[in-house]
Amino acid sequence: MALTFMSLQELIREDFLTCKICYDLYTVPKILPCLHSYCQHCLEPLVRDGALQCPECRLQTDVPGGASSLKTNFFINSLLELFQIKHNRDLACTVCSDAQKILTATARCLDCKDFLCQSCTQGHCCSRLTLHHKVVKLEEFLAGEYDAEMRLLQELCCQDHQQEALRFFCDTCSAPICRDCRMLDHFQHKVVSMANAVQRERPSVEQLIDSLAGTITCISEQEKAVEETIDKLKTSGENIKERITKYVDDIISYLLAQKEAVLGELSAFLTQQMEGCRLVKEELQSQRDKAISTREFSQRVLYVGKDYEILHLEGMIRNRIQELQTYIPRKLESQIPELAIAWDQPEMLSEAALFSLVFPREQPEGDMETVFEPDSEASASPSEESEDDPDLPLDSEDQEDSCPGSEESAPDTPDKNPSCCSRRSKRPKRVCTFEVDQCWSQAKPNITGIAVLPHAGGILLLDQENDEIKQYSAGGHFQQSIPLPDSDGVFCGISLCGDVLACSSDSFLFFLTLEGKFLRKLLLRGSESSYAITSYEDSYIAVSEGTLCSISLYSPSGHCVGRVAPTDYHGGKFLFIAVNDWEEFIVSDFIKKQIVIIEKSGLILNVLKTSHSLLTKPFSVCVDVSSNIFVVDQLKVIKFSPDGETGEVVLSNQSRLKRPRVLAVDDGGRLVLVQEDGYVHIYCF
């Protein structure tokens, strides 16, 4: 209360009585549900389509009756009345002053609320009716010494009965009422005094206000955490800038030299190949002109010639057409170059070429000899109708997706590019969808790894942002959170090998129990920032080793039991990895943008490249119980046969917010797909 006496005048003007829109004293103050108050005339222009947005906190409020339908802030009105009285320095006696005589007030009666001159003050104190009224000096009143008492004596009058104060509260209507209202409209209602109503409600309101202390503390701690994160971001940003600057300075000269060398090599190669293509094209154009000329001449003879003329030329026409139809184009000796980038450490740049051209050893099967038959029609597989489900990722139904770059082929011509043309299978059916739970997480989950428990035991999702593993049932119900051990880096990969849970973090491989108990950790080969992992049955964990282009195998007990190094494979970066029942490893190469299928011996069985398959930028991979390969590729999921020879787009979506990220297949053949937006979809085929 002492604080009120000392600074009530300034505090009221600054925090309560000044509208934040017009910066003047309130005029008909209206209070919003967010407890912010503004003048009614300031709020009226802000009403749009029966709704109003708070200028400060942006809370949307429905006001079908306009700004005037909002509650009036009587608390502000009462303080405003007190403020205006105290700031009127030319106060006259309200008892004896009139138009002819104005006497300056020297006192104030707190009970009558009258300003009194010296004579009226003496009379006021002597009258029997006002003998016990409290009359104070005007200077003390204006100085704020009696503000608290004035607040206690202030009364709010009824809007229906202007002379009656609101001294009762109707529990039935939940509204303050006056004496007349109680006797008339609220006679049969449950009515209590205003003081009793306030005394009854005050404890619950105080409890609510006290509960804000915990909220404020929590917010302050989170704010502190954000500030610490900002400091870490700044420090890390400066460090990364320095490293990038140094790295770029070290390799710029090397890059320029490599650029000139490889562009010269490419120019010479393109000149040679373009000349060969030009000769083949001229030959094909000549053959086409011959076919068109023969067709036009034959049609004229057939439709205009006499019978004996047709029979006379029939043999020549037949022989000429057969000769044209049996034409075999000259084999195009063409090789399409690909660019391989060997991205290595700066100190190794002088030892390895950063750029090099890679020429396929074998001619693509799609460029082999083709026999053109008359009236040939392209064969196409009928596509199934898509379901009217806007949230379900759709099968790709464009011919370009199923067979990119394919030309029309004759019915009798065998398919000579099985890796290009896809075989249509039954479209997947979504059986379950759920959002990764974040109720007990400090931050929005960021799922970077996935593993499935055997026998439909559930799904494990590695939440990198919150350093925990979230376990869900096969039906998508949250079961528990498994904390990850302390690590200087971030966790990115997860795999289940028997009853051992393996997780990768920076250059370390952690082994945990299914309850999250730490068992051991190993230092991995190389210096990658992240390692993808997978498991083969209960035997070992396979670790994809990035730019080393190799795979290390570790037993659940932590011993290295093998290493897979593909023969003559360099310049790439192994990313995600999967292994099938035949112990064949399927890895996605981030740099070369391809899928590599490797035997345990290191023999490369097949390479799925972007130029000869459906791939564009392969990412996460997995295999099902039949060893079919599933690949996340930008906005779609591609299913390949076990040997990689045939493939088809089984899921796709054009929304980048729903971009697929990681996937896995359980032992029941159900595909579990995690999207960028935090939703998990489960499909069966």
Side-chain angles (χ1 to χ4, degrees), residues 170-371:
C170 178
D171 285 338
T172 306
C173 302
S174 296
I177 58 176
C178 67
R179 183 188 60 185
D180 292 351
C181 291
R182 180 183 184 184
M183 301 304 297
L184 297 174
D185 299 334
H186 301 264
F187 182 73
Q188 295 182 344
H189 293 180
K190 182 179 179 181
V191 177
V192 296
S193 68
M194 191 73 74
N196 290 339
V198 171
Q199 185 177 3
R200 181 187 62 194
E201 299 297 333
R202 183 183 294 274
S204 61
V205 176
E206 289 178 345
Q207 185 177 2
L208 281 175
I209 295 174
D210 292 341
S211 67
L212 279 177
T215 303
I216 294 172
T217 301
C218 180
I219 293 174
S220 299
E221 292 175 354
Q222 293 178 355
E223 184 180 8
K224 182 179 178 181
V226 171
E227 291 175 353
E228 292 176 355
T229 302
I230 292 174
D231 293 338
K232 291 180 181 179
L233 285 173
K234 290 180 179 179
T235 303
S236 177
E238 292 300 324
N239 183 34
I240 291 174
K241 288 179 182 178
E242 292 178 3
R243 292 178 60 187
I244 290 175
T245 301
K246 184 179 182 303
Y247 189 86
V248 171
D249 290 342
D250 290 342
I251 66 173
I252 280 180
S253 58
Y254 176 81
L255 288 175
L256 293 176
Q258 286 287 309
K259 171 188 172 183
E260 296 300 326
V262 78
L263 288 181
E265 181 184 358
L266 178 63
S267 177
F269 174 78
L270 291 179
T271 300
Q272 176 188 358
Q273 292 296 312
M274 293 295 288
E275 179 63 20
C277 292
R278 184 186 63 82
L279 295 176
V280 173
K281 182 179 179 181
E282 289 179 353
E283 180 179 331
L284 291 174
Q285 288 177 342
S286 174
Q287 195 69 17
R288 183 192 61 188
D289 293 341
K290 293 177 183 178
I292 293 174
S293 176
T294 300
R295 183 184 63 182
E296 292 177 350
F297 176 78
S298 301
Q299 287 176 341
R300 292 190 183 100
V301 172
L302 185 63
Y303 296 120
V304 181
K306 298 292 185 177
D307 292 345
Y308 71 88
E309 293 173 345
I310 295 174
L311 294 176
H312 178 69
L313 296 175
E314 181 268 339
M316 296 181 65
I317 292 174
R318 184 183 299 275
N319 291 336
R320 180 57 173 167
I321 292 177
Q322 289 177 351
E323 177 186 351
L324 292 173
Q325 290 177 343
T326 56
Y327 164 72
I328 299 177
R330 184 172 62 176
K331 186 176 180 181
L332 180 62
E333 299 292 343
S334 173
Q335 291 181 316
I336 307 300
E338 297 176 3
L339 181 64
I341 304 176
W343 202 253
D344 216 327
Q345 300 298 325
E347 60 269 15
M348 300 176 61
L349 289 178
S350 59
E351 302 176 7
L354 188 61
F355 302 103
S356 61
L357 293 176
V358 178
F359 303 100
R361 295 182 180 179
E362 299 180 358
Q363 188 73 13
E365 293 182 343
D367 294 335
M368 295 179 65
E369 298 178 359
T370 304
V371 178

Side-chain angles (χ1 to χ4, degrees), residues 448-450 462 490-495 502-505 509 530-533:
T448 59
I450 182 173
L462 193 150
V490 294
F491 286 88
C492 62
I494 180 176
S495 186
C503 305
S504 61
S505 173
L509 183 63
S530 61
Y531 290 81
I533 59 176

Side-chain angles (χ1 to χ4, degrees), residues 335-340 357-364 404 417 419-420 568-570 587-589 591-597 604 606-618 631 633 636 638 640 643-645:
Q335 291 181 316
I336 307 300
E338 297 176 3
L339 181 64
L357 293 176
V358 178
F359 303 100
R361 295 182 180 179
E362 299 180 358
Q363 188 73 13
N417 191 359
S419 64
C420 171
D568 297 329
Y569 192 95
H570 307 285
V587 294
S588 58
D589 190 317
I591 292 180
K592 294 188 176 183
K593 297 180 178 60
Q594 59 191 21
I595 298 293
V596 187
I597 305 176
I604 297 179
N606 198 358
V607 178
L608 308 183
K609 301 183 178 181
T610 56
S611 57
H612 308 307
S613 72
L614 303 173
L615 297 174
T616 54
K617 292 181 180 179
V631 182
D633 191 300
K636 58 183 181 290
I638 307 172
F640 289 98
D643 56 6
E645 292 298 322

Side-chain angles (χ1 to χ4, degrees), residues 341-626:
I341 304 176
W343 202 253
D344 216 327
Q345 300 298 325
E347 60 269 15
M348 300 176 61
L349 289 178
S350 59
E351 302 176 7
L354 188 61
F355 302 103
S356 61
L357 293 176
V358 178
F359 303 100
R361 295 182 180 179
E362 299 180 358
Q363 188 73 13
E365 293 182 343
D367 294 335
M368 295 179 65
E369 298 178 359
T370 304
V371 178
F372 292 94
E373 295 288 341
D375 300 328
S376 62
E377 296 180 358
S379 60
S381 301
S383 57
E384 300 180 11
E385 295 294 331
S386 62
E387 301 176 5
D388 296 329
D389 187 349
D391 295 327
L392 179 64
L394 302 177
D395 284 18
S396 175
E397 297 184 314
D398 296 330
Q399 185 65 21
E400 289 80 9
D401 285 340
S402 61
C403 187
S406 61
E407 301 291 341
E408 291 187 350
S409 57
D412 297 333
T413 303
D415 181 9
K416 297 190 177 183
N417 191 359
S419 64
C420 171
C421 297
S422 63
R423 298 178 301 182
R424 286 287 177 180
S425 62
K426 185 178 179 181
R427 68 173 283 137
K429 179 181 179 182
R430 185 176 60 174
V431 296
C432 178
T433 293
F434 62 92
E435 185 177 11
V436 178
D437 187 84
Q438 54 181 332
C439 294
W440 294 278
S441 301
Q442 295 181 355
K444 182 179 180 181
N446 179 24
I447 306 303
T448 59
I450 182 173
V452 291
L453 297 171
H455 312 301
I459 304 165
L460 300 177
L461 301 177
L462 193 150
D463 184 356
Q464 183 186 83
E465 190 67 29
N466 295 288
D467 287 334
E468 63 182 6
I469 298 172
K470 299 180 185 294
Q471 181 175 342
Y472 290 84
S473 68
H477 300 290
F478 179 77
Q479 294 180 326
Q480 65 171 336
S481 292
I482 304 174
L484 291 169
D486 293 336
S487 174
D488 294 334
V490 294
F491 286 88
C492 62
I494 180 176
S495 186
L496 184 64
C497 188
D499 56 356
V500 174
L501 195 59
C503 305
S504 61
S505 173
D506 282 0
S507 298
F508 290 95
L509 183 63
F510 289 79
F511 293 85
L512 315 173
T513 66
L514 290 178
E515 292 76 27
K517 181 181 178 181
F518 173 79
L519 298 176
R520 65 189 65 86
K521 74 174 181 178
L522 303 176
L523 179 64
L524 300 175
R525 297 174 69 237
S527 58
E528 303 296 327
S529 60
S530 61
Y531 290 81
I533 59 176
T534 190
S535 298
Y536 177 69
E537 298 179 348
D538 300 342
S539 301
Y540 56 77
I541 297 102
V543 180
S544 174
E545 296 179 326
T547 53
L548 295 178
C549 295
S550 58
I551 304 167
S552 288
L553 312 178
Y554 297 92
S555 67
S557 59
H559 297 94
C560 183
V561 295
R563 183 157 293 129
V564 180
T567 307
D568 297 329
Y569 192 95
H570 307 285
K573 181 178 181 179
F574 284 1
L575 198 60
F576 284 91
I577 182 172
V579 58
N580 60 24
D581 290 341
W582 307 321
E583 287 193 85
E584 295 173 350
F585 299 93
I586 298 91
V587 294
S588 58
D589 190 317
F590 179 74
I591 292 180
K592 294 188 176 183
K593 297 180 178 60
Q594 59 191 21
I595 298 293
V596 187
I597 305 176
I598 313 166
E599 278 189 346
K600 192 175 181 181
S601 63
L603 176 65
I604 297 179
L605 299 177
N606 198 358
V607 178
L608 308 183
K609 301 183 178 181
T610 56
S611 57
H612 308 307
S613 72
L614 303 173
L615 297 174
T616 54
K617 292 181 180 179
F619 193 61
S620 176
V621 296
C622 71
V623 294
D624 63 9
V625 292
S626 301

Side-chain angles (χ1 to χ4, degrees), residues 98-233:
D98 53 27
Q100 290 77 26
K101 179 181 64 174
I102 298 178
L103 296 178
T104 303
T106 60
R108 165 84 172 186
C109 178
L110 301 183
D111 297 281
C112 297
K113 301 179 183 179
D114 284 329
F115 288 101
L116 306 173
C117 63
Q118 188 172 1
S119 299
C120 293
T121 301
Q122 295 174 354
H124 207 77
C125 295
C126 296
S127 173
R128 184 174 62 182
L129 296 176
T130 58
L131 179 63
H132 299 290
H133 287 194
K134 187 167 184 177
V135 179
V136 299
K137 294 181 180 180
L138 186 62
E139 294 81 4
E140 296 175 355
F141 174 78
L142 296 178
E145 296 183 14
Y146 299 97
D147 285 348
E149 295 183 49
M150 283 289 295
R151 288 284 295 132
L152 292 175
L153 294 172
Q154 276 185 320
E155 290 182 331
L156 184 65
C157 294
C158 178
Q159 293 182 348
D160 296 329
H161 311 96
Q162 301 292 333
Q163 302 301 320
E164 292 293 331
L166 297 174
R167 296 177 180 173
F168 301 94
F169 186 82
C170 178
D171 285 338
T172 306
C173 302
S174 296
I177 58 176
C178 67
R179 183 188 60 185
D180 292 351
C181 291
R182 180 183 184 184
M183 301 304 297
L184 297 174
D185 299 334
H186 301 264
F187 182 73
Q188 295 182 344
H189 293 180
K190 182 179 179 181
V191 177
V192 296
S193 68
M194 191 73 74
N196 290 339
V198 171
Q199 185 177 3
R200 181 187 62 194
E201 299 297 333
R202 183 183 294 274
S204 61
V205 176
E206 289 178 345
Q207 185 177 2
L208 281 175
I209 295 174
D210 292 341
S211 67
L212 279 177
T215 303
I216 294 172
T217 301
C218 180
I219 293 174
S220 299
E221 292 175 354
Q222 293 178 355
E223 184 180 8
K224 182 179 178 181
V226 171
E227 291 175 353
E228 292 176 355
T229 302
I230 292 174
D231 293 338
K232 291 180 181 179
L233 285 173

